[in-house]
Amino acid sequence: MKSLFKSKPKTPVELVRLTRELLIFVDTDSTTKGTKRDEKMAELGKLMRDLKCILYGNSDSEPLAEACAQLTQEFFKQNTLRLIIICLPKLNLETRKDATQVVANLQRQQVQSRLIASDYLESNKDLMDILISGYENMDLALHYGAMLRECIRHQIIARYVLESEHMKKFFDFIQLPNFDIASDASATFKELLTRHKSTVADFLTKNYDWFFAEYNGKLLESSNYIIRRQSVKLLGDMLLDRSNSPVMMKYVCSKDNLRILMNLLREQSRNIPLEAFHVFKLFAANQNKPPEIVGILVANRSKLLRFFSEFKIDKEDEQFEADKAQVIKEIVALEPKDRS
């Protein structure tokens, strides 16, 4: 008889509506205290777990496309995403984790072949301001950072962040003393500068001067080994991408940039000189080297040739050896140019 009175499972739409109601309570109610508030927070935690279960499935079942579509549609009908982001500081740790996973998953959910999260965020770009400012809060940084990286999968949102004043803050976030938060900010920074090729190329072209001044000074010349290693690797990824060819040509015509790369080549670690080599070879390969670049390479020719003759990597790599041989050939063939 007991089974007759079992409550019927809530539909995805009902779960979203109940979650929204409780989030509004969390956001607006400042009078309810004690046991009653604890009960509401526990109920919200359970609802968030249920939403996550629909989107990700569980050990017994895979997620159902229809249920995911219903949940996604209801979620973005009203301001449920805004409420989650605003209320996150008031949620307990487990609910924050579940909420972060729910928000992340919803960025990829399609409804009738449309990413409706992208449409919603296009009209609510100010939410990115909240997520980015989360890097300044140790308790929220990793949750907001994970949400932010999923949101910038949408090109229009990545463009908003790239073109905002927030981009300058990433150079400071990456240097934060908390390793986990700095690493998270670095992952977001890399995503912004590599995912959407045409948007990135446009950003780097328009913002070349201030961006690379910050990049060189704060990242490539950082006193922190990990920052230098990650930054020289990312620099190579950016400059070797065909979409960024005009930016690369401008970069390799700067004697200050060459000086920085030559210093990175001399580092004692194994990783940084290898990544620096992938950028340095672009300076060597440039067939229109300015006189000052030629002058530096000629002045340091014997040191460079000695360095490259001993420059090895752990495993055999035909491409590396071919690149190195080409760099040596270019340096040997250099003739000083008239600077006039």
Side-chain angles (χ1 to χ4, degrees):
M1 288 294 290
K2 210 173 182 183
S3 62
L4 291 174
F5 299 100
K6 262 191 178 175
S7 59
K8 189 179 168 190
K10 293 181 179 64
T11 66
V13 170
E14 288 170 335
L15 287 173
V16 173
R17 286 176 184 168
L18 288 167
T19 301
R20 188 185 301 132
E21 287 169 13
L22 282 174
L23 286 167
I24 291 169
F25 166 80
V26 170
D27 183 38
T28 58
D29 186 281
S30 57
T31 56
T32 307
K33 308 284 184 193
T35 308
K36 189 173 180 188
R37 188 172 183 84
D38 291 344
E39 285 172 358
K40 297 262 189 193
M41 296 304 276
E43 189 183 345
L44 179 57
K46 183 181 181 310
L47 286 167
M48 209 63 78
R49 283 195 302 276
D50 290 343
L51 292 176
K52 186 177 85 167
C53 186
I54 290 172
L55 293 169
Y56 288 91
N58 55 33
S59 55
D60 299 324
S61 61
E62 291 288 311
L64 299 171
E66 181 59 31
C68 290
Q70 289 173 9
L71 190 158
T72 305
Q73 206 154 14
E74 182 62 29
F75 194 92
F76 289 110
K77 239 184 221 174
Q78 295 183 43
N79 275 339
T80 313
L81 178 59
R82 181 176 293 278
L83 284 165
I84 285 182
I85 290 172
I86 290 169
C87 293
L88 205 72
K90 298 177 182 178
L91 308 182
N92 65 42
L93 181 59
E94 287 307 311
T95 308
R96 279 182 197 171
K97 287 179 182 175
D98 290 337
T100 300
Q101 288 185 277
V102 166
V103 170
N105 185 292
L106 285 167
Q107 304 313 310
R108 305 170 186 228
Q109 290 290 341
Q110 294 193 5
V111 177
Q112 295 175 342
S113 303
R114 280 187 68 79
L115 286 167
I116 61 173
S118 180
D119 298 336
Y120 176 84
L121 288 173
E122 187 176 353
S123 303
N124 293 272
K125 295 192 187 97
D126 64 296
L127 290 175
M128 299 307 103
D129 305 340
I130 300 171
L131 295 181
I132 294 167
S133 67
Y135 281 120
E136 295 162 11
N137 184 320
M138 198 174 286
D139 294 329
L140 300 173
L142 300 183
H143 305 296
Y144 277 167
M147 289 183 188
L148 177 61
R149 270 191 304 287
E150 291 299 324
C151 290
I152 59 178
R153 292 171 66 87
H154 310 301
Q155 189 160 4
I156 196 155
I157 300 307
R159 185 181 296 118
Y160 170 78
V161 176
L162 284 166
E163 292 175 353
S164 73
E165 283 300 305
H166 296 305
M167 268 314 282
K168 293 179 180 174
K169 296 178 186 174
F170 277 94
F171 292 100
D172 298 321
F173 295 153
I174 289 168
Q175 300 178 82
L176 287 168
N178 182 299
F179 176 77
D180 290 334
I181 297 174
S183 297
D184 196 278
S186 184
T188 304
F189 187 67
K190 180 181 178 182
E191 185 78 357
L192 280 165
L193 291 166
T194 54
R195 175 171 278 278
H196 303 287
K197 308 294 189 190
S198 60
T199 300
V200 172
D202 191 45
F203 165 76
L204 291 175
T205 301
K206 288 178 181 172
N207 298 276
Y208 180 94
D209 291 339
W210 77 259
F211 179 82
F212 282 108
E214 292 281 284
Y215 201 98
N216 289 349
K218 290 186 175 177
L219 304 185
L220 293 180
E221 295 186 299
S222 168
S223 59
N224 183 304
Y225 164 76
I226 292 172
I227 290 176
R228 292 197 308 281
R229 190 183 79 189
Q230 290 177 337
S231 301
V232 72
K233 169 78 169 68
L234 177 57
L235 178 65
D237 292 343
M238 288 191 291
L239 296 183
L240 286 160
D241 192 301
R242 285 184 183 175
S243 304
N244 297 327
S245 290
V247 172
M248 181 269 284
M249 290 306 298
K250 190 170 181 179
Y251 192 88
V252 300
C253 286
S254 160
K255 67 180 192 304
D256 291 331
N257 295 343
L258 177 58
R259 175 186 57 78
I260 291 168
L261 266 298
M262 287 171 69
N263 285 336
L264 290 168
L265 277 174
R266 293 166 52 200
E267 290 226 9
Q268 295 303 304
S269 74
R270 283 184 299 181
N271 292 315
I272 289 179
L274 178 59
E275 297 300 344
F277 170 71
H278 291 308
V279 180
F280 178 83
K281 70 187 182 189
L282 299 173
F283 286 88
N286 181 12
Q287 297 306 302
N288 296 300
K289 299 179 187 69
E292 60 266 30
I293 297 290
V294 175
I296 292 169
L297 293 175
V298 168
N300 291 274
R301 180 169 12 217
S302 58
K303 288 180 188 173
L304 286 166
L305 293 176
R306 187 164 60 248
F307 170 81
F308 286 121
S309 70
E310 299 167 359
F311 190 38
K312 304 275 193 295
I313 56 175
D314 290 341
K315 56 183 186 217
E316 281 189 32
D317 185 328
E318 288 182 15
Q319 186 61 54
F320 168 75
E321 293 299 333
D323 288 347
K324 190 173 77 166
Q326 185 61 34
V327 166
I328 291 171
K329 182 181 170 187
E330 294 283 354
I331 293 172
V332 168
L334 282 174
E335 297 290 344
K337 281 189 180 179
D338 185 356
R339 289 169 185 262
S340 59

